[in-house]
Amino acid sequence: MQEETYDLVIVGGGVVGIAILRSATLQGYHCALIEKETHLLSHASGSNSGIACTGVDAAPGTLERTLIRDSNSIFRPYCKDLNVPTRPCGSLVCLWPWDDAKENHLDHVLDESHEAGDTHASRLSSNQVRHLEPNLALHCRGAVHIPGEIVVDPWLYSISLAAHARENGARIFTNFAFDPDASYLEGNIWNIFQVKPRDGSMPKRLRARAIANAAGLWSDIIQKKTHGPRTSVHLTKRTWSAKPRRGQYRIFAPSIESTITHPIQPIPTQRTKGIFVFSTIYNQIVVGPTALDQESKTDRSIDPLIAKELNSHVKRLIPGLDVKRDLVGEYVGVRPGTDKRDYQIHLYPEERWIAVAGIRSTGLTASLGIGNYVVRSLRAILDTPKKDKIIKTTPLPRLSSLVEDFHNRNGFVKINGFDYKVTHPLTILGWRAKEGIAGQPSKL
């Protein structure tokens, strides 16, 4: 019996890897994804904010801004088709008395918003801000309203990509850690080996005509180890180093005095978007993330000093919030930045390999655009599928059913016959408390 050969194997089960899997599968390619953890979305994609942005802080002319715009054009229709709950409220980029920024910096944010494609962005006076968000502190000196930004359930959106890919024939293998030392290219076929399992069983092997390296914080290690002794000139010219950046968050139960609708953002810098204050799709109040570089790719421990600073920050913006009484949780995410400012998406035709790295905090936002861009790039080395694929699209189950499933099955839900572990704190806390739409029998 001839061994199965995939057109493409994706390394990494975060939102970017899953989006590539879905896009390639819908284009008719025979695809699989491997993830080293037991559950999908276990690292950066399981600890983001759940805000789909317009890319106002992405530098003009970058691939990042281009792919965010591409994704924005199809994000809402996708969520509607897959029954992913969204709140298209827009964000407020606010100017505060304690900021170093000046009034004209809001004009710059407005210009950048228009350039990024959100042409309906507008300047608001302090009185207009107060009308939109009466629980916000009175000190706000004005804001830019960016209406294109959307609040989503970050886990449910990301897992919907996996469900849609699987419905159309994709395979997903968890507990499959890619072994860069054992894997090799033979002719035009990759032999992809699993790191030897701890139970002593034989490592699994897959075969593929191409590999997409979407391993996030581990992408640079996989890149160097896999291509070390046979690195081509083209490969060495496009190198990067992962730069883990930790973001700490605190989550609070909402009250009449603290409820807000729009994400409240500071004026972004070239380094970071800054600390947000926002309400989740389930109405819980979140402050974060911080942006601190660290050496460890895995250290997600809570820093009590940072927690105290976050308390002070959110209290300054929402005076009616009781940071002790209303605290329901906190978490740390480690984002996969690199030493480069832009996304690092590079095709190496000779190696039948595409690297998808440097997808910092905008991975969820740009995921649909990234998936399509990677598939377009791979057409240079993969044959075009012969038949037009009939795409199946089954919407996610009603949200009330998923929440009930989550409570009855110890944090798992079943979607299209597959079990998924809910890994994101914002989803877990929202569903556990049955806040907002999570507590409503609905048509979602």
Side-chain angles (χ1 to χ4, degrees), residues 286-354:
V286 182
V287 56
T290 52
L292 300 173
D293 294 331
Q294 64 179 32
E295 290 297 323
S296 172
K297 300 176 188 288
T298 58
D299 180 8
R300 293 193 282 181
S301 59
I302 298 295
D303 185 330
L305 294 179
I306 297 297
K308 187 175 180 180
E309 291 176 11
L310 289 174
N311 280 349
S312 298
H313 182 79
V314 70
K315 186 72 176 176
R316 186 157 57 168
L317 270 59
I318 308 179
L321 181 70
D322 189 323
V323 294
K324 292 183 178 179
R325 180 196 66 196
D326 298 335
L327 181 69
V328 295
E330 55 189 339
Y331 66 98
V332 170
V334 183
R335 304 193 286 278
T338 68
D339 55 345
K340 304 291 192 299
R341 182 72 178 91
D342 200 3
Y343 289 174
Q344 299 300 300
I345 303 180
H346 304 301
L347 176 69
Y348 310 103
E350 295 177 3
E351 303 285 339
R352 305 189 70 80
W353 178 281
I354 190 165

Side-chain angles (χ1 to χ4, degrees), residues 61-174:
T62 59
L63 183 60
E64 178 180 23
R65 176 171 281 193
T66 298
L67 296 185
I68 288 174
R69 291 186 67 172
D70 288 350
S71 191
N72 284 341
S73 67
I74 53 179
F75 193 91
R76 295 188 196 206
Y78 170 81
C79 290
K80 182 178 180 180
D81 290 345
L82 271 293
N83 198 32
V84 177
T86 64
R87 188 171 74 234
C89 53
S91 295
L92 295 176
V93 179
C94 295
L95 180 66
W96 301 95
W98 49 82
D99 288 339
D100 292 332
K102 298 178 181 179
E103 290 282 351
N104 61 359
H105 288 185
L106 285 179
D107 292 328
H108 178 70
V109 171
L110 182 62
D111 291 341
E112 286 294 315
S113 298
H114 291 164
E115 175 66 25
D118 205 340
T119 56
H120 297 290
S122 60
R123 276 287 301 266
L124 301 180
S125 67
S126 57
N127 286 335
Q128 289 173 311
V129 172
R130 194 171 302 122
H131 176 74
L132 287 175
E133 294 293 355
N135 287 329
L136 206 60
L138 301 178
H139 314 300
C140 180
R141 294 161 55 189
V144 172
H145 180 223
I146 306 177
E149 306 209 329
I150 304 170
V151 176
V152 300
D153 179 319
W155 182 84
L156 201 53
Y157 165 77
S158 301
I159 217 67
S160 73
L161 298 169
H164 200 204
R166 275 176 155 167
E167 182 180 13
N168 286 280
R171 301 285 302 279
I172 294 177
F173 300 92
T174 55

